[in-house]
Amino acid sequence: MWIDRFFEHQTRRAAQRTGRRSVLATLGKAMVGTMALPVLPFDRSAHAAGAHGSKAGKAAGPQAQDETACDYWKYCAVDGFLCSCCGGSSTTCPPGTEPSRVSWVGTCHNPADGRDYMVSYNDCCGKTTCGRCECNTNERERPGYRLGVHNDVNWCMSNDSTMFHCTTSIILGVQE
Ligand code: ABN
């Protein structure tokens, strides 16, 4: 009878749509879709620029600065081995050394905020030369016959131990 066939057909269709196999098929599709998501082409160019150390990436913020690289902006007028490569940091002397009592002062431009900063380059004294990360950026430095603006000097000269180990870069102030 046609009415029997009609209800049988409708019942089978409902069972196909809501049955165990249908639920498993839907779950399977969702899982395959989720696995494919990470390979879709997201734009990761910003991360790539930072990873390769491009100038744009470095200017983006302080977190992009490498304290052990000569091109860190506050090392613009340094002459010496970076203390950040010698067991200290860019502002602290390594254990067993002490800051020089006198220093060379430079002015460096910070590209992150567009301002100029006065930086004191204090040598750390009391151990033999560190020998790592030598930087000679020397911006605005002048030859030795103009002593007041000459940088190639052992600033440990007035410490108890005159042995030069490495150089720190301490920000003294910002130009108003
Ligand atoms: N200011 C660093 C340094 C130390 C000894 C000699 C030259 C430069």
Side-chain angles (χ1 to χ4, degrees):
M1 200 163 169
W2 71 268
I3 199 159
D4 290 338
R5 279 202 302 276
F6 173 78
F7 279 109
E8 185 190 339
H9 179 72
Q10 291 302 321
T11 312
R12 281 188 193 282
R13 279 193 60 194
Q16 273 167 5
R17 264 187 268 126
T18 56
R20 222 177 345 163
R21 268 187 282 178
S22 153
V23 170
L24 285 175
T26 309
L27 273 177
K29 279 184 213 160
M31 280 169 69
V32 171
T34 316
M35 275 160 57
L37 267 181
V39 294
L40 292 177
F42 288 108
D43 181 3
R44 295 192 174 90
S45 53
H47 299 276
H52 293 293
S54 75
K55 288 227 185 302
K58 283 192 174 167
Q63 73 279 13
Q65 292 281 344
D66 180 2
E67 286 221 332
T68 62
C70 292
D71 65 356
Y72 183 4
W73 68 268
K74 74 172 182 170
Y75 296 154
C76 80
V78 76
D79 178 348
F81 307 109
L82 300 180
C83 288
S84 45
C85 298
C86 305
S89 74
S90 71
T91 54
T92 55
C93 287
T97 64
E98 59 170 14
S100 60
R101 293 185 186 136
V102 286
S103 71
W104 154 261
V105 174
T107 304
C108 297
H109 184 75
N110 182 354
D113 62 7
R115 304 180 82 178
D116 293 323
Y117 289 78
M118 188 184 271
V119 183
S120 175
Y121 298 103
N122 289 74
D123 291 336
C124 293
C125 319
K127 276 185 177 177
T128 53
T129 46
C130 160
R132 284 188 290 277
C133 301
E134 183 174 16
C135 299
N136 253 298
T137 43
N138 297 331
E139 267 184 40
R140 284 173 282 280
E141 195 249 5
R142 289 293 174 267
Y145 58 78
R146 294 195 54 196
L147 259 185
V149 281
H150 182 59
N151 174 13
D152 193 9
V153 171
N154 179 0
W155 299 111
C156 295
M157 63 175 103
S158 56
N159 280 54
D160 295 336
S161 166
T162 56
M163 273 195 293
F164 160 68
H165 187 62
C166 62
T167 306
T168 56
S169 307
I170 298 152
I171 295 171
L172 296 179
V174 62
Q175 191 178 29
E176 291 303 323

